[in-house]
């Protein structure tokens, strides 16, 4: 069995579905993953944890919330000035390489960390490096790429974010130029990253076919469901949905008794959504459920009437290359997808090609869509979408593991 060292910023039980599912299926094809990652408290993907050899590097040991924030800020400063986090990751990786025989290194990141550590290990031990970028700084409308909001102090937080962004991009691009291959999640990302390395392969996010499949379940209410986070309305704008709910309510198409919008979101997202709902007078339609374990998501999606994706127009300063995992999981359960507002780019194209639903550009489209599926729900007690199943297969996590393996084998043959 061949062996790959996976160095990544997040891995289950934390929010790391891409690497978690990949490692699950690598083992089916005679590749043994050994994982090195950062320790975080989040327990979203517990069902994917405990099945792999994982080493966790713990940077944040404080328990008190105030001390925790201070520790995060000081670690960010040390990382900016001295590459603190990558240094610790590199030292942990050396121990793993010296105790194993690896065929290559795969490093996955949403920003830059831990790419420099992975490259340093690859150079030291003459191992090929595949870089997987799930998200990149260029796709964001502002500073949403920061994992926490910095406290404001005489405007220095903006200066710090600017310096951190420049350093992150410089470090990332230096590693990209040396990588044997680069993988990423959308055609837009491919175009951007090819500036730094011509060997960029598109491997979408996707769904696990063992977990996500259609189940026709009747419900007592017409349920619109969203799972995830809202970083800002510039990135994800629910305005068209709120406006449509206000119009359809005024027209007595439905009321907040038979139509509910379920939000499986964190507290920060809830504040943004509540504010938008109040603007249109539709807060009574909203149900805030909080985050749930990832293992609950298939059932939640199958118990919904319409599945909501939030984004914004990609042109200008809008978000770029949005191809969220939620889209692929929604596809797999064959429920109608409502995307507001359409990115008018690759996500809208994918929704159209798979016949999954609507990427809306105006409120009239949203009203028509909701009326259509509300009528279907009234007649059947459930809804379904005529997904093109031939297009669906390529988004399976198992098929995507095969894509990674093809790259690994190319490297093994050609070096």
């Amino acid at each position: 069995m061949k062996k790959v060292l996976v160095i990544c910023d997040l891995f289950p039980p934390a929010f790391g579905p891409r690497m978690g599912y990949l490692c699950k299926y690598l083992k089916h094809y005679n590749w043994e993953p050994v994982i090195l990652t950062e320790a975080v408290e989040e327990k979203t993907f517990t069902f994917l944890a405990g099945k792999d050899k994982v080493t966790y590097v713990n940077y944040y040991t404080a328990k008190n919330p105030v001390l925790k924030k201070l520790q995060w800020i000081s670690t960010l400063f040390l990382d900016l000035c001295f590459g603190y986090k990558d240094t610790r990751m590199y030292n942990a990786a050396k121990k793993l390489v010296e105790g194993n025989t690896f065929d290559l290194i795969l490093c996955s990141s949403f920003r830059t960390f831990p790419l420099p550590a992975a490259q340093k290990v690859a150079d030291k031990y003459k191992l090929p490096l595949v870089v997987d970028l799930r998200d990149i700084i260029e796709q964001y409308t502002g500073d949403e790429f920061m994992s926490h909001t910095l406290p404001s102090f005489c405007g220095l937080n903006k200066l710090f974010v600017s310096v951190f962004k420049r350093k992150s991009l410089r470090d990332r691009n230096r590693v990209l130029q040396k990588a044997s291959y680069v993988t990423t999640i959308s055609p837009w990302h491919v175009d951007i990253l090819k500036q730094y390395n011509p060997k960029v392969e598109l491997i979408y996010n996707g769904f696990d076919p063992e977990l996500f499949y259609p189940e026709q379940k009747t419900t007592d209410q017409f349920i619109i469901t969203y799972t995830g986070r809202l970083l800002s309305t510039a990135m994800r704008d629910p305005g068209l949905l709120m406006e449509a709910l206000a119009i359809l309510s005024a027209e007595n198409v439905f009321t907040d008794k038979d139509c509910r919008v379920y939000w499986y979101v964190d507290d920060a997202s809830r504040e943004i959504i509540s504010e938008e709902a109040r603007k249109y007078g539709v807060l009574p339609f909203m149900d805030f459920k909080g985050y749930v374990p990832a293992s609950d998501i298939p059932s939640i999606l199958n118990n919904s009437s319409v599945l909501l994706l939030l984004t914004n127009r990609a042109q200008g300063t809008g978000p770029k290359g949005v191809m969220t995992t939620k889209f692929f999981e929604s596809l797999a359960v064959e429920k109608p997808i409502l995307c507001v507002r359409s990115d008018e780019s690759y996500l809208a194209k994918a929704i159209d090609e798979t016949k999954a639903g609507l990427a809306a550009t105006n409120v009239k489209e949203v009203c028509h869509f909701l009326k259509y599926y509300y009528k279907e729900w009234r007649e059947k007690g459930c809804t379904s979408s005529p997904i093109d199943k031939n297009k669906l297969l390529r988004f399976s996590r198992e098929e995507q593991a095969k894509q990674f393996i093809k790259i690994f084998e190319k490297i093994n043959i050609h070096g």
Side-chain angles (χ1 to χ4, degrees), residues 62-219:
K63 301 298 181 186
N64 180 280
V66 175
L67 292 177
K68 243 185 195 177
K69 186 77 171 178
L70 289 172
Q71 191 173 43
W72 179 80
I73 292 170
S74 61
T75 300
L76 192 64
F77 179 77
L78 288 170
D79 201 39
L80 179 66
C81 296
F82 308 108
Y84 167 72
K85 288 183 72 174
D86 279 289
T87 298
R88 285 192 59 188
M89 191 66 77
Y90 168 69
N91 289 332
K94 281 197 303 179
K95 293 177 183 177
L96 289 173
V97 174
E98 288 167 3
N100 293 271
T101 301
F102 291 108
D103 293 275
L104 57 86
I105 296 172
L106 170 64
C107 184
S108 183
S109 172
F110 95 99
R111 190 173 56 202
T112 298
F113 169 78
L115 294 179
Q119 181 60 59
K120 196 173 176 183
V121 175
D123 286 346
K124 179 176 177 62
Y125 296 98
K126 304 296 187 289
L127 288 169
L129 173 65
V130 176
V131 169
D132 178 62
L133 288 173
R134 308 185 307 275
D135 297 289
I136 59 176
I137 288 173
E138 294 94 327
Q139 76 191 59
Y140 293 95
T141 59
D143 62 0
E144 298 95 344
F145 63 89
M146 298 293 292
S147 53
H148 297 275
T149 303
L150 288 170
S152 180
F153 181 71
C154 300
L156 290 177
N157 59 321
K158 292 182 180 179
L159 176 62
F160 189 95
V161 170
S162 176
V163 173
F164 185 81
K165 180 177 180 179
R166 285 200 304 272
K167 180 182 185 298
S168 295
L169 287 170
R170 185 184 70 240
D171 291 348
R172 183 202 71 187
N173 296 342
R174 186 167 58 240
V175 175
L176 289 177
Q177 289 164 4
K178 293 183 175 182
S180 299
Y181 269 90
V182 179
T183 58
T184 192
I185 59 154
S186 85
W188 182 86
H189 287 76
V190 170
D191 290 341
I192 294 298
L193 298 177
K194 275 192 172 179
Q195 299 174 66
Y196 311 105
N197 189 318
K199 292 183 178 180
V200 183
E201 298 270 348
L202 172 60
I203 302 180
Y204 286 106
N205 283 316
F207 66 93
D208 187 338
E210 293 181 357
L211 299 174
F212 291 90
Y213 46 84
E215 296 180 276
Q216 287 298 338
K217 296 183 179 180
T218 58
T219 59

Side-chain angles (χ1 to χ4, degrees), residues 338-349:
L338 174 61
C339 174
V340 294
R341 181 197 186 276
S342 172
D343 65 338
E344 298 185 37
S345 186
Y346 294 110
L347 179 56
K349 185 179 178 183

Side-chain angles (χ1 to χ4, degrees), residues 1 21-33 208 210 398 401-402 405:
M1 183 174 279
Y21 284 120
L22 172 62
C23 290
K24 171 184 174 179
Y25 284 107
L26 281 179
K27 294 190 286 286
H28 292 192
Y29 299 100
N30 294 316
W31 277 87
E32 180 187 351
D208 187 338
E210 293 181 357
E398 185 171 12
K402 293 177 185 177
I405 289 167

